[in-house]
Amino acid sequence: MDLIIKNGMLVSASETYQADIAVKDGKITAISNDLGTDATSVIDAQGKYVLPGAIDAHTHLAMPFGGTVSSDDYFAGTRAAACGGTTTVFDFALQDFDEPMLDVIKRRDKIAAPQAAVDYAFHIGVKDIHGELLDSMQAAVDCGVPSFKIFMVYDFGVSDGVFYQLLEKSKEINTMISVHAENNDLVNYNVKKFLSAGKTSPWYHYLSRPEFVEGEADLRAIQWAKETGAKLYIVHLANKQGVEAVTLAKQEGYPIYAETCPQYLHFTRDVYKRDDGRNFVCSPPMKGQQSQDALWDALKRGDIDVVATDHCPFMQSEKDWGLNDFSKIPNGCAGVENMYPYMLDKANKGEITFNKAVELCAANPARIFGCADKGSLTIGKDADIVIYDPNKDFTITCEKMHSDYDHTIWEGTDLTGYPEMTFSRGKLVFNNGEFLGEAGYGKFIKRQLTE
Ligand code: DUC
Ligand code: ZN
Ligand code: ZN
């Protein structure tokens, strides 16, 4: 055996139990009460939790955006992931105009493969479906990328007609369509209105995209998914109206899924009144307390399926472009290293169960996006394992993080409990604050949807 982790509390989405777990050739090979000590490496996890590595279903690594490129490349982003207990990241490979879908994957994989320190998958961010491009989705599916994202906002967002066509196609060939839902026309109108009135602070970023601007778009997206029968996954859901629409659609039996992010669970729109409010500028923006409460309620009753990060860090100097104009702030915040520790802290404090944290951060993203070898501690699956110390106090500071950035919105956040070790396919990639992985170890994960 390569590794035996002994005496830990194993956590799945439904159970917590004490057992040993054995690993050989990167796979989980046994889970039982006493597996002995015949292994190259034996770790005593008495008093610790043993969890599946998290899957971050939503990151933007080295993404050209907002006049620059997000500051974590595939190495830095996956290094940070490993150090926060995340062993698989999904990145958005943005299509160029005129580019067939398979070419998008090949182009991004050339950059990702030599850099990734943990396993990675792609969603394709669709911009263009003219001519044969729509049909080229099938080639991406055949290559293990059965999920596509559309943006209802930004200059590369798609029209309602294109969105609807993608849903129809998706129903035909069984893919997942993810959507960034906000009303583009309203955002653009509001931004212009505020800037021309000299209202330039980050608070007007929020006021340009308040609750109903997101909620209205959620309702439209869900309506079209219902009409076509296609599966729809709403990314970074942050408003109460959208939560209610998701709940209703689920009750009606539609395959509508929702993701939220730790920043929406933790911060409210009040951050945009802070002196460093520009650092919190992301889209959709953080909302009011009512929306945050609705997100937590939905998460607890199962109407939010996934917690992911929308990890998209920028440097302080870039965030500062918006000191006198909120519209010039590159949109995005970091989170890939913070997601699992944040959700596990909530479990440790009794606000959710550890099983719920595992369900949201590992089991559900694996199931929904078709990662057959990931998401749970099961014999035969990849040995993506986190040992979590529930008694370690940890305060998040930029210096202790492992991204290529110079500030974090999570600065000063106190957590109770923290990942102690992360294994990626059996390899120790993080140990007590230290990154031990290497660029190029991470593998592209070929996926197939099963629902
Ligand atoms: N929102 C962000 O804040 N950043 C990246 C892309 C997005 O939709
Ligand atoms: Zn988005
Ligand atoms: Zn995003």
Side-chain angles (χ1 to χ4, degrees):
M1 218 49 75
D2 298 330
L3 167 69
I4 296 177
I5 302 169
K6 299 193 68 64
N7 307 316
M9 279 300 230
L10 272 58
V11 185
S12 74
S14 55
E15 289 175 292
T16 308
Y17 58 101
Q18 187 155 27
D20 296 354
I21 181 164
V23 174
K24 179 137 183 68
D25 297 331
K27 294 280 183 190
I28 297 170
T29 51
I31 298 176
S32 184
N33 264 341
D34 188 0
L35 292 175
T37 55
D38 187 10
T40 311
S41 173
V42 178
I43 292 166
D44 185 8
Q46 182 75 44
K48 315 268 168 70
Y49 288 94
V50 180
L51 311 153
I55 296 171
D56 188 343
H58 188 160
T59 69
H60 300 276
L61 302 177
M63 183 170 92
F65 190 55
T68 179
V69 177
S70 58
S71 63
D72 269 352
D73 62 11
Y74 285 95
F75 179 58
T78 52
R79 178 182 64 202
C83 298
T86 288
T87 46
T88 306
V89 302
F90 278 68
D91 188 54
F92 287 97
L94 269 191
Q95 181 197 19
D96 285 335
F97 288 98
D98 246 350
E99 189 178 32
M101 304 300 169
L102 194 54
D103 292 4
V104 184
I105 301 166
K106 287 184 184 158
R107 174 168 57 80
R108 287 306 278 186
D109 198 44
K110 265 193 203 140
I111 307 170
Q115 292 186 11
V118 298
D119 293 346
Y120 61 95
F122 292 119
H123 307 288
I124 294 179
V126 178
K127 292 181 182 171
D128 186 7
I129 57 166
H130 87 272
E132 298 186 345
L133 294 177
L134 185 66
D135 285 338
S136 79
M137 286 167 71
Q138 183 64 54
V141 174
D142 296 343
C143 168
V145 180
S147 48
F148 301 83
K149 174 173 177 190
I150 70 106
F151 292 84
M152 293 170 88
V153 286
Y154 304 132
D155 49 5
F156 53 85
V158 303
S159 68
D160 292 353
V162 167
F163 184 6
Y164 192 80
Q165 245 182 298
L166 278 159
L167 287 167
E168 283 183 334
K169 184 72 182 177
S170 180
K171 174 68 182 166
E172 184 192 320
I173 65 172
N174 189 31
T175 74
M176 180 69 82
I177 299 292
S178 298
V179 61
H180 173 139
E182 289 181 295
N183 185 311
N184 199 34
D185 279 353
L186 292 186
V187 171
N188 290 338
Y189 165 71
N190 283 332
V191 170
K192 227 166 139 184
K193 178 178 73 179
F194 290 131
L195 290 181
S196 61
K199 295 175 172 172
T200 59
S201 81
W203 178 244
Y204 293 95
H205 172 70
Y206 161 69
L207 279 186
S208 304
R209 327 169 84 108
E211 277 75 351
F212 78 93
V213 168
E214 185 189 339
E216 183 275 339
D218 289 328
L219 294 183
R220 258 186 306 146
I222 290 171
Q223 174 74 31
W224 299 334
K226 286 180 178 177
E227 294 295 341
T228 55
K231 290 196 282 279
L232 180 72
Y233 177 95
I234 301 179
V235 299
H236 50 47
L237 184 64
N239 77 98
K240 184 178 177 190
Q241 192 183 11
V243 167
E244 287 168 353
V246 168
T247 297
L248 181 62
K250 281 180 183 287
Q251 283 168 355
E252 292 169 340
Y254 290 100
I256 308 287
Y257 304 88
E259 163 201 288
T260 194
C261 313
Q263 58 270 34
Y264 303 115
L265 295 168
H266 191 67
F267 301 106
T268 68
R269 60 190 173 196
D270 289 349
V271 292
Y272 299 114
K273 294 178 177 163
R274 289 169 44 157
D275 287 346
D276 62 347
R278 63 193 175 287
N279 292 347
F280 293 80
V281 164
C282 57
S283 292
M286 280 46 125
K287 303 295 200 303
Q289 191 61 55
Q290 275 197 347
S291 281
Q292 189 177 86
D293 293 344
L295 290 173
W296 273 112
D297 289 347
L299 180 151
K300 288 174 187 172
R301 68 173 182 263
D303 289 338
I304 291 204
D305 303 280
V306 171
V307 171
T309 66
D310 202 10
H311 180 81
C312 191
F314 295 101
M315 300 304 275
Q316 188 63 64
S317 58
E318 294 165 331
K319 287 290 196 186
D320 289 352
W321 293 343
L323 273 168
N324 300 311
D325 177 348
F326 69 87
S327 72
K328 295 199 163 61
I329 304 168
N331 285 201
C333 302
V336 73
E337 193 166 352
N338 313 113
M339 172 182 81
Y340 215 19
Y342 177 78
M343 295 308 292
L344 293 169
D345 167 84
K346 295 295 172 203
N348 214 8
K349 290 176 174 151
E351 292 174 38
I352 55 172
T353 61
F354 276 94
N355 312 96
K356 189 71 184 174
V358 165
E359 179 191 321
L360 290 163
C361 299
N364 279 355
R367 176 177 58 81
I368 292 168
F369 288 114
C371 305
D373 293 329
K374 306 283 186 193
S376 69
L377 301 178
T378 306
I379 293 170
K381 295 223 183 203
D382 286 349
D384 292 349
I385 301 173
V386 171
I387 301 181
Y388 177 80
D389 180 353
N391 296 311
K392 185 182 167 88
D393 289 329
F394 190 91
T395 302
I396 300 173
T397 62
C398 186
E399 297 76 56
K400 281 190 257 169
M401 296 293 104
H402 297 81
S403 277
D404 278 348
Y405 58 40
D406 55 3
H407 69 281
T408 166
I409 59 169
W410 296 96
E411 186 75 29
T413 306
D414 292 320
L415 303 175
T416 306
Y418 208 74
E420 186 174 274
M421 292 181 186
T422 305
F423 296 89
S424 165
R425 281 179 281 109
K427 175 183 165 70
L428 184 63
V429 290
F430 171 74
N431 186 15
N432 262 312
E434 194 185 352
F435 173 67
L436 300 176
E438 58 193 77
Y441 174 80
K443 282 194 168 37
F444 168 70
I445 300 301
K446 227 177 148 182
R447 299 175 291 118
Q448 195 176 8
L449 299 189
T450 52
E451 310 196 324

